[in-house]
């Protein structure tokens, strides 16, 4: 898969391009992208995805936004989806102020689309005044087809990034995974923490996640840790470690039946099921007893 970072037009005569914010690359997004790939293969075109280096709402809102999927994770997912290319461009103020007509002109000049694939609620152009109907009209004028995917519902819920963020924030990683089409995952370098786990004989890997990531609600989770190309059953703690009165939220994974030095390594953790919330224990013995119970419960939950 070719990754092109805002370096002029793509080196393909004709493409089919999926358009959207694509934070999460959840099941609805992947449906749009799958239709893009299939249409391109049928007609002998190159299939691609337009990504922005920052989520559009980061520039539009003072509140910012929690990110579900990092750029690296997105590229890995799209490569596994057999896309031919990803075009990454900056969502800066100049681009933000493009009218719908100028946006489409830029799209045609840079990506050479024979067709574009979007969701039913896709918006574009300055202040998001462009909708699917306008895109279809402009596409007819500029010589490309607009392929629209309707709402995708799973388990009684419309699949949307906002809902997935809310589920992650509530600790409902099981339903979030159902809508995502894969487990909620964080990736980062293993950092040195307070060493409290090691002192208790239960060492943990402290995952240095990106600050804008959507983090599951404080608590203890059964999940998996991936490091060095291997997958391990794990108990993952998210929180401030109330017993030790830590000041910042940490993500710490106790990897079951594992005793290797992985400081400085890149690791990712998958959250499979929430086991319990945060508890402040009055003594170390109670804490160790609970952690051992968490470990046994996690063993039963994980395959």
């Amino acid at each position: 898969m070719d990754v092109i970072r805002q370096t002029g037009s793509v080196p393909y005569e004709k493409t089919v391009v999926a358009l959207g914010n694509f934070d999460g690359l959840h099941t609805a997004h992947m449906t749009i992208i799958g239709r893009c790939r299939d249409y391109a293969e049928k007609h002998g075109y190159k299939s691609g995805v337009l990504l922005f280096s920052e989520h559009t709402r980061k520039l539009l809102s003072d509140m910012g936004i929690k990110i579900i999927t990092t750029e690296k994770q997105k590229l890995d997912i799209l490569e596994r989806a057999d896309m031919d290319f990803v075009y990454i461009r900056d969502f800066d103020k100049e681009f933000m102020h493009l009218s719908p007509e100028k946006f489409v002109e830029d799209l045609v000049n840079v990506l050479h689309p024979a067709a574009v694939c979007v969701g039913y609620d896709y918006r574009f152009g300055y202040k998001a005044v462009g909708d699917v109907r306008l895109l279809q009209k402009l596409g007819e004028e500029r010589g490309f087809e607009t392929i629209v995917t309707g709402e995708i519902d799973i388990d009684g819920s419309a699949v949307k990034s906002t809902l997935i963020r809310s589920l992650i924030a509530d600790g409902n990683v099981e339903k979030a995974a159902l809508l995502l089409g894969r487990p909620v995952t964080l990736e980062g370098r293993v950092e040195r923490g307070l060493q409290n786990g090691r002192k208790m004989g239960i060492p943990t890997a402290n995952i240095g996640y990106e600050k804008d990531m959507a983090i599951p609600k404080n608590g203890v989770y059964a999940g998996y840790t991936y490091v060095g190309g291997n997958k391990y059953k794990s108990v993952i703690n998210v929180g401030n470690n109330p017993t030790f009165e830590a000041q910042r939220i940490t993500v710490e994974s106790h990897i079951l039946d594992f005793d290797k030095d992985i400081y400085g390594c890149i690791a990712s953790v998958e959250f499979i099921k929430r086991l319990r919330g945060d508890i402040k224990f009055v003594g170390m013995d109670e804490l160790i007893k609970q952690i051992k119970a968490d470990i046994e419960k996690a063993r039963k939950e994980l395959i």
Side-chain angles (χ1 to χ4, degrees):
M1 183 179 75
D2 296 329
V3 178
I4 305 167
R5 293 184 182 273
Q6 201 164 336
T7 54
S9 60
V10 296
Y12 319 116
E13 186 176 348
K14 286 292 181 182
T15 69
V16 184
V17 184
L19 305 176
N21 261 318
F22 295 133
D23 178 32
L25 286 180
H26 51 57
T27 52
H29 290 156
M30 296 310 294
T31 300
I32 296 167
I33 289 165
R35 295 185 71 187
C36 170
R37 180 196 59 233
D38 294 345
Y39 186 99
E41 288 180 355
K42 180 178 178 180
H43 293 86
Y45 302 137
K46 294 291 187 179
S47 62
V49 179
L50 174 63
L51 292 182
F52 296 110
S53 57
E54 295 278 4
H55 194 291
T56 57
R57 279 175 55 188
K58 274 196 169 185
L59 190 63
L60 297 172
S61 171
D62 293 334
M63 298 296 291
I65 192 168
K66 292 298 182 182
I67 301 300
I68 300 170
T69 313
T70 65
E71 182 181 285
K72 179 182 179 299
Q73 289 171 328
K74 289 179 185 179
L75 294 178
D76 289 343
I77 292 166
L78 293 172
E79 185 158 29
R80 290 197 298 271
D82 292 326
M83 300 304 287
D84 292 314
F85 74 95
V86 172
Y87 191 93
I88 302 175
R89 72 162 300 155
D90 297 331
F91 187 80
D92 52 24
K93 289 187 177 180
E94 180 181 355
F95 187 81
M96 181 185 76
H97 283 86
L98 290 180
S99 68
E101 292 77 14
K102 285 293 185 182
F103 172 85
V104 168
E105 180 181 339
D106 182 82
L107 182 73
V108 169
N109 291 337
V110 173
L111 298 180
H112 311 157
V116 297
C117 298
V118 297
Y120 70 99
D121 55 353
Y122 179 69
R123 311 289 299 194
F124 65 104
Y126 186 48
K127 295 187 176 179
V129 296
D131 59 10
V132 167
R133 286 188 179 182
L134 180 57
L135 184 61
Q136 290 171 323
K137 175 179 178 294
L138 294 173
E140 290 174 3
E141 294 173 0
R142 299 303 300 260
F144 64 81
E145 184 178 352
T146 301
I147 301 165
V148 182
T149 296
E151 182 176 279
I152 304 296
D153 294 293
I154 295 179
D155 196 30
S157 299
V159 180
K160 292 184 176 293
S161 297
T162 50
L163 174 57
I164 293 170
R165 286 190 198 93
S166 177
L167 290 168
I168 293 172
D170 287 342
N172 191 348
V173 294
E174 291 176 274
K175 184 160 186 179
L178 186 64
L179 302 189
L180 274 171
R182 62 184 186 280
V184 175
T185 304
L186 289 177
E187 184 177 83
R189 194 171 298 279
V190 178
E191 302 174 341
R192 291 193 180 273
L194 299 175
Q195 304 291 304
N196 291 316
R198 187 166 294 280
K199 293 170 187 174
M200 294 185 293
I202 310 171
T204 60
N206 187 20
I207 309 300
Y209 60 88
E210 294 184 19
K211 65 178 182 179
D212 293 330
M213 293 299 294
I215 306 299
K217 184 177 181 178
N218 286 7
V220 176
Y221 297 80
Y224 296 98
T225 300
Y226 293 78
V227 63
N230 297 309
K231 175 182 179 180
Y232 303 96
K233 296 178 181 180
S234 304
V235 175
I236 307 161
N237 182 80
V238 179
N240 302 89
N241 291 313
T243 301
F244 296 102
E245 298 183 349
Q247 296 303 306
R248 74 181 185 94
I249 294 176
T250 59
V251 176
E252 298 176 276
S253 175
H254 171 64
I255 305 173
L256 306 189
D257 309 313
F258 182 88
D259 188 23
K260 294 181 181 179
D261 185 351
I262 56 173
Y263 288 120
C265 295
I266 298 296
S268 62
V269 289
E270 289 180 349
F271 297 85
I272 302 302
K273 183 172 183 178
R274 191 167 192 259
L275 301 179
R276 63 173 175 86
D278 262 349
I279 302 173
K280 184 169 183 176
F281 297 93
V282 295
M284 190 74 72
D285 290 343
E286 282 189 24
L287 173 59
I288 294 173
K289 182 179 178 181
Q290 180 61 60
I291 292 174
K292 289 181 177 179
D294 295 336
I295 291 170
E296 291 310 307
K297 191 171 182 180
R299 287 189 191 278
K300 295 175 183 178
E301 293 287 350
L302 301 171
I303 298 172

